[in-house]
Amino acid sequence: MERFFGLKERNTTVRTEIIAGVTTFLTMVYIVVVNPSILSSAGVPFEQVFMATILSAALGTGIMALFAKHPIAIAPGMGMNAYFASVVASHGVSYQMVFGTVFLAGLIFILLSFTRLRETLIQSIPSSLKYGITSGIGLFIAFIGLRMSGIVVANPATMVGFGDLHQPATLLTLAGLFLTLILMARRVNGALFIGMVVTAVAGYLAGMLSFKGVVSVPPTPDFFDMDLPGVFQHGLYTVVFAFLLVTIFDTTGTMIGVAEQAGIMKDGTFPRAKAALMADALATTVGATLGTSPSSAYIESSAGVAAGGRSGLTALVVSLLFLLSMFFSPAISAISSVSAITAPVLIIVGCFMMEGLARIDWHTFDEAFPAFAILLSMPLTSSIATGIAIGFITYPLMKLVSGKGREVHPILYVFGVIFVIQMVYFPAH
């Protein structure tokens, strides 16, 4: 094992790697609860999402461990699950059809992993749009957390308003949120997971949570028929593109960030990049056939790196722990049914995703406004695809009229025209 993962060359040990793997798992295991909670709201059976989440995470992280040999974990990404649910609601289509878009995005991602088109696509899209998209998704999922918990409610006069603090669910959410924030501020490993556990205990004592069991035989994973023809019949091409684009940016950026922290980068290059990207692409594609939204590299992997993780052994430990978690479906099902337990995670993860805003050149208006338009439109329209479309339309347009048209890659002009046509003739709502 030491030789296979190159532990001596990476100046680490088996014990350190195991501790790092456990640390990473504890910081991201919330997805096993949150992902089924979000997708089940779109009509997907809870147990199906539960098993799909675990198996896609174990698969992607396992491939990362054995082939890329990096301490980076893969699992269904936050933001994409919320977008999945919003597509089902806003487009009036079946969740099987939306799984078809995820499957197609995964296939395209696999193909791009073998070509230089992926690098061209990443390089052609300016930083302001990339950071705007990530931050917009952060606002989007934080808003969902606020809405789920009753902190923000519908208001006929102002569209939204402040909720009723006399509601038990809202009070429990606020208590869980402040507790988790304290743990985060104190840099406690697994703060999100610990916050959920304590909130669940409080909910149980308050009579808001009841268990029909804790441990059981895992539900049987089920491959199901995706409605691929429906994707083309309803023209869900923007949805496919949104899943693909966000997954590529999120995964690539996270992998590079974690690799730099772990000292893996060599002369500015990411070793075994194709294997690492393939891990995510395969997890997304297989996950769609099992019943979950796209997978992504997790920034929580940095917690394991901070604990000393430097090799694929860290990721292998994470993969095995995900498989172990499938035996706790009754407890996880009960916890996910109480929105006050999962809502604080959505709000805090939304904050994590705002980091890129500091890197946008707000003093240059033709850079700032497209990012601002994305930030504004994603939560207000409840559509990540709409936010991406608006950004891709406004950026080349503003550069063109400001005399900087040559700074824009031709791909952006093509995307801009496509999105204008899509929004005029094939609107999302």
Side-chain angles (χ1 to χ4, degrees):
M1 184 176 293
E2 290 186 7
R3 182 178 299 176
F4 179 81
F5 289 109
L7 300 187
K8 288 185 178 180
E9 293 85 346
R10 301 193 183 199
N11 195 28
T12 184
T13 64
V14 172
R15 181 178 180 275
T16 300
E17 294 291 300
I18 291 175
I19 292 173
V22 172
T23 301
T24 295
F25 177 76
L26 289 177
T27 60
M28 63 181 290
V29 68
Y30 65 84
I31 194 63
V32 176
V33 180
V34 176
N35 200 47
S37 176
I38 293 176
L39 294 192
S40 60
S41 69
V44 191
F46 176 90
E47 290 189 346
Q48 181 174 315
V49 186
F50 173 74
M51 288 301 294
T53 301
I54 290 173
L55 293 177
S56 60
L59 173 67
T61 307
I63 294 173
M64 179 71 73
L66 300 175
F67 295 95
K69 300 182 181 179
H70 296 316
I72 301 172
I74 304 285
M78 289 296 296
M80 289 292 91
N81 45 18
Y83 175 52
F84 182 103
S86 73
V87 171
V88 174
S90 63
H91 288 66
V93 297
S94 66
Y95 66 79
Q96 291 92 340
M97 207 176 295
V98 186
F99 278 130
T101 65
V102 177
F103 182 76
L104 291 174
L107 285 181
I108 297 171
F109 195 2
I110 290 174
L111 295 175
L112 290 179
S113 297
F114 289 108
T115 69
R116 292 191 60 83
L117 184 59
R118 179 184 58 84
E119 286 84 356
T120 302
L121 184 62
I122 292 172
Q123 292 169 3
S124 67
I125 299 177
S127 297
S128 58
L129 290 187
K130 294 176 186 175
Y131 296 135
I133 290 170
T134 302
S135 301
I137 293 172
L139 285 178
F140 179 43
I141 64 174
F143 180 70
I144 289 174
L146 292 170
R147 192 176 63 195
M148 283 171 53
S149 62
I151 297 175
V152 169
V153 296
N155 186 311
T158 60
M159 292 185 67
V160 294
F162 192 64
D164 182 3
L165 294 185
H166 293 90
Q167 295 296 322
T170 306
L171 284 174
L172 182 60
T173 300
L174 290 172
L177 177 61
F178 285 119
L179 169 65
T180 309
L181 289 174
I182 292 170
L183 294 174
M184 295 291 300
R186 300 296 299 175
R187 301 180 182 276
V188 176
N189 285 330
L192 293 175
F193 178 70
I194 295 171
M196 286 178 60
V197 170
V198 175
T199 307
V201 171
Y204 178 78
L205 295 176
M208 299 170 62
L209 174 64
S210 60
F211 292 97
K212 296 180 180 179
V214 176
V215 179
S216 73
V217 176
T220 303
D222 184 30
F223 287 92
F224 65 98
D225 295 327
M226 294 173 292
D227 189 1
L228 288 175
V231 176
F232 302 100
Q233 290 171 6
H234 286 76
L236 300 177
Y237 309 114
T238 305
V239 178
V240 175
F241 182 73
F243 279 135
L244 174 66
L245 196 66
V246 175
T247 302
I248 288 176
F249 289 154
D250 191 29
T251 292
T252 306
T254 300
M255 285 183 182
I256 291 174
V258 176
E260 286 179 343
Q261 180 188 359
I264 295 171
M265 299 291 285
K266 297 179 180 178
D267 300 323
T269 61
F270 184 42
R272 297 176 294 280
K274 284 187 178 180
L277 289 167
M278 190 60 68
D280 185 35
L282 287 173
T284 294
T285 308
V286 174
T289 67
L290 291 169
T292 187
S293 46
S295 294
S296 178
Y298 263 59
I299 193 62
E300 284 85 350
S301 303
S302 60
V305 171
R310 294 294 182 272
S311 78
L313 182 54
T314 294
L316 182 61
V317 172
V318 176
S319 179
L320 294 174
L321 288 173
F322 267 115
L323 291 175
L324 183 63
S325 68
M326 71 172 63
F327 293 94
F328 297 89
S329 62
I332 291 172
S333 177
I335 290 171
S336 67
S337 67
V338 181
S339 59
I341 299 172
T342 54
V345 175
L346 297 177
I347 297 168
I348 293 172
V349 171
C351 175
F352 290 161
M353 300 177 75
M354 305 301 290
E355 180 185 1
L357 289 180
R359 305 180 188 180
I360 296 174
D361 184 4
W362 294 103
H363 299 289
T364 305
F365 191 69
D366 52 17
E367 290 283 339
F369 185 81
F372 170 74
I374 294 171
L375 282 171
L376 195 64
S377 57
M378 279 190 184
L380 293 183
T381 64
S382 295
S383 173
I384 291 173
T386 298
I388 291 174
I390 291 173
F392 273 75
I393 292 170
T394 55
Y395 187 88
L397 181 63
M398 293 194 67
K399 288 293 184 180
L400 194 62
V401 298
S402 60
K404 303 176 183 177
R406 292 184 178 180
E407 297 179 6
V408 180
H409 196 284
I411 289 180
L412 262 67
Y413 288 112
V414 175
F415 283 148
V417 172
I418 291 173
F419 279 127
V420 168
I421 295 171
Q422 183 267 325
M423 293 188 75
V424 173
Y425 296 102
F426 308 99
H429 300 284

